[in-house]
Structures are given as C-alpha cells and as structure tokens.
Amino acid sequence: MDLGRLQPVWKLWIEKDGEYVFGAGTFKLLRAVQTTGSIAKSAESLGMSYRYAWGLIRNVEARLGTRVVETHRGGSTTGGLTGGGGARVTEAGIALMELYARVSEAFEKAMDNLS
Amino acid sequence: MDLGRLQPVWKLWIEKDGEYVFGAGTFKLLRAVQTTGSIAKSAESLGMSYRYAWGLIRNVEARLGTRVVETHRGGSTTGGLTGGGGARVTEAGIALMELYARVSEAFEKAMDNLS
C-alpha cells in the first residue's frame, strides 16, 4: 500500500464541562480581533459577515459564561464604518486562545517528529 | 476564569488524497478483529450489528482501494454462529492501524506533557 498518500488529520477544540466552547474558527477570529482591534475588520479579513462573526463570539461567551471580546465606542482609529468603535480580547478570551495554541503547537510538533 | 473546567479535546482520522478513510471507530473494530478473529464477535463486543460492522469495513476498503480484512470459511474455532468462519486484518489494515496508533499515542503524550 502507498502509505505516502495517507495523511493523518486532526481537529482540536476546547470543551467546558463536556460542552463545546472554542475551536479553530473562533481562535482565528479572536486572533484577528487582537490584530485589527475591530470585529468588522476581523470579519472581513476572514470572509464572514459582521453578524456571523458576532454570532460566533456570542456563542463562545454563552457557553463560557463570560465575555471574550469587549467593545468600546470611539477613541479607536481602527474601527470600520460598520460596527464602529474598537474591540479587544478579554483576559478570559486570551486564556482560551493560549490553551488552544499550546495544545495545537504541541500536536504540530508531535506530527513533525513522526514524519 | 476557572481554567480547570476547560478541557482540550481532539479527534484524529486518516485521509487518502484528501478524503476520509479511517478513524477511531474503524481502529477499534480492526483491533477487535485482531483479538477475536471474527467480525461477528467484534461487532458484538462493540455493541454494533454485524451488518453495520461490515459496512464500516467496506467503506474503508472502498476509499482505500484495497482490502483491510480477509475472511475464510471454517478452520477457525473463533467464528460465531452468524457470519461464521474467521477474519484477519490484512497488511494494509495493519499499516492503517499503526499509522493511527502512532499519531494518537504521540498526541496523548503531548497532552500529558502539557498538564
């Protein structure tokens, strides 16, 4: 058998009390919020609607029971015309991102060591 | 935030040319075939019907393009009354199992090292 055409594939997510909370999509979204300081710009950069991006964030927050993104009006030069104001990832959001990134990087390293 | 209630969860599978081939369920099934030498006994031990177990195996074989289980009539003391005869995992099946197990063990070790 041609093993070279076989590829191990993995998916990682974070659960709280056995329920899905956070995964690859929300990781990318929060990382974009850290970079752009704006939900609107983050949504645009990931090819999703502003409404959809907020839905993802609200789902994480509902499951987690705490805010992962805080928004403020004005005072930001990065806010877009739609959904203005700025946004930043909270400490709880950063903790989720760090946990996800730590495991993800460990898995990537493990895969590299195998091949 | 109570990080202790957050649990990283992962799923691993094997793809061939970008298409799903083999995962946790088929790994357990082939391992049971190695242990019992019988599809019927393997299916029973995993709480699935004989027909369902064969369906899983046939799906893997169709996607892989080669047999992962070989059966023979008689000559076996492990064959059940239904679906008689014996079954054994082929070299291709063993190669799939080994690839899955290698990555799975590396991930488990990586998770242990993190916590």
Side-chain angles (χ1 to χ4, degrees):
Chain A
M1 185 169 56
D2 182 7
L3 281 175
R5 292 167 70 189
L6 296 179
Q7 181 63 39
V9 182
W10 52 275
K11 190 175 179 176
L12 169 68
W13 65 95
I14 310 292
E15 293 187 352
K16 182 186 177 188
D17 302 333
E19 195 189 359
Y20 179 94
V21 171
F22 188 83
T26 34
F27 178 81
K28 283 179 193 162
L29 179 55
L30 293 201
R31 197 172 49 184
V33 171
Q34 285 184 320
T35 307
T36 64
S38 152
I39 307 282
K41 289 191 179 185
S42 297
E44 192 185 353
S45 74
L46 295 168
M48 57 179 73
S49 73
Y50 180 70
R51 179 182 289 269
Y52 184 78
W54 260 122
L56 289 180
I57 291 167
R58 290 297 178 230
N59 280 345
V60 173
E61 292 178 339
R63 290 160 181 158
L64 195 63
T66 189
R67 302 290 303 271
V68 296
V69 171
E70 280 172 356
T71 54
H72 55 87
R73 293 185 180 278
S76 166
T77 56
T78 55
L81 286 174
T82 56
R88 69 173 197 86
V89 179
T90 67
E91 279 188 30
I94 290 168
L96 268 180
M97 292 178 73
E98 284 178 349
L99 178 59
Y100 183 91
R102 270 177 72 211
V103 181
S104 186
E105 282 158 20
F107 281 9
E108 277 164 20
K109 199 172 162 187
M111 287 279 281
D112 285 348
N113 289 341
L114 283 175
S115 58
Chain B
M1 186 170 56
D2 182 8
L3 280 176
R5 291 168 71 189
L6 297 179
Q7 180 64 39
V9 181
W10 53 275
K11 190 174 179 177
L12 169 69
W13 65 94
I14 309 292
E15 293 187 352
K16 182 186 176 185
D17 302 332
E19 195 188 1
Y20 179 93
V21 171
F22 188 83
T26 34
F27 178 81
K28 283 179 193 161
L29 179 55
L30 293 201
R31 196 171 50 183
V33 171
Q34 285 185 320
T35 306
T36 65
S38 152
I39 306 283
K41 289 191 178 184
S42 297
E44 192 185 352
S45 74
L46 295 168
M48 58 179 72
S49 72
Y50 180 69
R51 178 183 291 268
Y52 184 78
W54 259 123
L56 290 180
I57 291 167
R58 289 295 178 233
N59 280 345
V60 173
E61 292 178 338
R63 290 159 181 160
L64 195 63
T66 189
R67 301 292 300 271
V68 296
V69 171
E70 280 172 355
T71 53
H72 54 88
R73 294 186 180 278
S76 165
T77 56
T78 55
L81 287 173
T82 56
R88 70 172 197 85
V89 179
T90 67
E91 278 187 30
I94 290 167
L96 268 180
M97 292 178 73
E98 284 178 349
L99 178 60
Y100 183 90
R102 270 177 72 211
V103 181
S104 185
E105 282 157 21
F107 282 9
E108 277 163 21
K109 199 172 162 186
M111 287 280 280
D112 286 347
N113 290 342
L114 284 176
S115 56

